[in-house]
Amino acid sequence: MIWNLGSINIDNFYEVPHLPAKGETLAARSFGFGLGGKGANMSVAAARGAAHVSHIGAIGPEGRWTRERLMEYGVDIPHIAEVQIPTGHANIVVDDQGENNIVLFQGANMELTEAIIGQALTEASPGDYLLMQNETNGQEYAAQTAQSLGLRVVYAAAPFEADAIARLLGRIDLLVLNEVEAAQLEQATGKTPQALGLPDVVITLGEKGCRWVSNKGDRQFDAYAADAIDTTGAGDTFTGFLIAGLDRGMSMEGAIDLALRAGALMVMRRGTADVIPDLKEIQDHFRT
């Protein structure tokens, strides 16, 4: 079972010929919106990776449809609270090469209480996973509570903040971050991934695949070939499938391979949570 303390956003998408420069006004070619937020993306990915996942989060009154959408995608929603603060949202511009810029409003994601988090985790069992990102409050309380209950704590270190990781280091079992974030963390702490003292660190490398750093060594995995049109949500998809694989009893090597396949398929789609592939789509694509 995966308990995901995570953000829920309404994503607004704008397709543009190039990413806007400083002071530039740029006309968008198209507009769309959908379910997003790193937390919601990872919950959907984990559910589509055949894991049982319960989302812990908060939305505003205008965002009720996001909770229903999560349920449609197989995510448990009893621990998503409604507060009197607007739902978080993100304005995402995507260029012709699939690269993006994002402006984020945190909104209800920062209104979680210890009561909301604690009530959810009282239903957890030893050996379950607590997954978190840096888009909500309550991370330290959740990690402490989860550790006391025998859960394994996974932290996806985005948006990156060195102090947030430092406060959690003694409670993290698996740290997931990208290449830029890993360099920022090493600069902030003076420690390499191997020297952090964590059981497992997975560093995503985009089109170069990923690294797995553990007491077994430092191993790199190659990415699967993909014609990328939109990289938005690919890292979240990777993380969701990675934890889903581990929760289903796969080895780290097997879970990483599944996550890389999911990420490769995701970058060939436009959108976030609404277009995350499921296991059958991944199996069918790589079978051919």
Side-chain angles (χ1 to χ4, degrees):
M1 177 78 177
I2 300 168
W3 303 86
N4 184 10
L5 174 64
S7 56
I8 301 172
N9 287 340
I10 298 170
D11 281 352
N12 299 310
F13 298 96
Y14 305 88
E15 186 179 7
V16 295
H18 60 266
L19 297 182
K22 181 179 180 180
E24 180 180 12
T25 299
L26 189 62
R29 294 171 176 167
S30 66
F31 165 74
F33 72 96
L35 173 66
K38 290 186 175 298
N41 294 342
M42 291 181 194
S43 280
V44 172
R48 290 188 163 178
H52 185 188
V53 54
S54 182
H55 195 98
I56 308 168
I59 57 172
E62 87 294 353
R64 292 170 185 162
W65 66 268
T66 62
R67 183 167 52 194
E68 302 306 311
R69 187 73 59 84
L70 281 166
M71 183 175 65
E72 291 172 9
Y73 292 151
V75 178
D76 287 353
I77 62 169
H79 302 293
I80 298 176
E82 183 176 314
V83 299
Q84 296 307 307
I85 299 292
T87 304
H89 64 257
N91 293 330
I92 304 167
V93 293
V94 182
D95 70 10
D96 291 341
Q97 285 71 49
E99 296 300 324
N100 64 71
N101 278 344
I102 302 173
V103 177
L104 178 69
F105 170 70
Q106 294 176 304
N109 293 315
M110 300 303 291
E111 298 298 318
L112 288 155
T113 65
E114 291 185 359
I116 294 170
I117 298 169
Q119 183 178 3
L121 294 181
T122 58
E123 300 178 16
S125 301
D128 286 354
Y129 283 90
L130 171 68
L131 173 61
M132 300 187 296
Q133 318 79 36
N134 195 24
E135 287 189 337
T136 71
N137 64 326
Q139 298 166 34
E140 291 179 73
Y141 172 77
Q144 180 180 0
T145 303
Q147 192 175 54
S148 69
L149 294 172
L151 278 66
R152 290 167 284 188
V153 178
V154 181
Y155 190 66
F160 179 81
E161 184 183 339
D163 289 345
I165 298 177
R167 290 192 295 268
L168 296 172
L169 271 181
R171 304 189 186 280
I172 297 173
D173 295 293
L174 168 58
L175 176 65
V176 183
L177 66 174
N178 64 32
E179 190 172 18
V180 173
E181 293 157 352
Q184 291 174 329
L185 181 60
E186 185 169 347
Q187 182 178 17
T189 63
K191 295 181 178 181
T192 65
Q194 295 92 330
L196 290 172
L198 300 177
D200 293 290
V201 179
V202 173
I203 304 169
T204 59
L205 306 173
E207 63 184 11
K208 294 180 291 183
C210 75
R211 286 172 60 196
W212 170 35
V213 179
S214 72
N215 55 12
K216 297 180 180 179
D218 186 344
R219 179 175 172 186
Q220 180 156 340
F221 296 76
D222 293 333
Y224 286 89
D227 296 322
I229 63 171
D230 185 0
T231 58
T232 311
D236 302 336
T237 299
F238 174 95
T239 301
F241 271 87
L242 173 67
I243 308 310
L246 294 173
D247 185 60
R248 288 166 43 215
M250 297 177 70
S251 66
M252 180 64 82
E253 294 91 339
I256 287 174
D257 183 71
L258 173 63
L260 287 170
R261 291 171 186 257
L265 195 53
M266 182 64 177
V267 300
M268 294 189 284
R269 303 176 174 194
R270 291 198 184 277
T272 46
D274 297 307
V275 299
I276 292 173
D278 60 24
L279 274 178
K280 185 177 186 307
E281 290 175 298
I282 294 169
Q283 292 165 352
D284 289 346
H285 176 81
F286 287 96
R287 185 179 297 119
T288 57

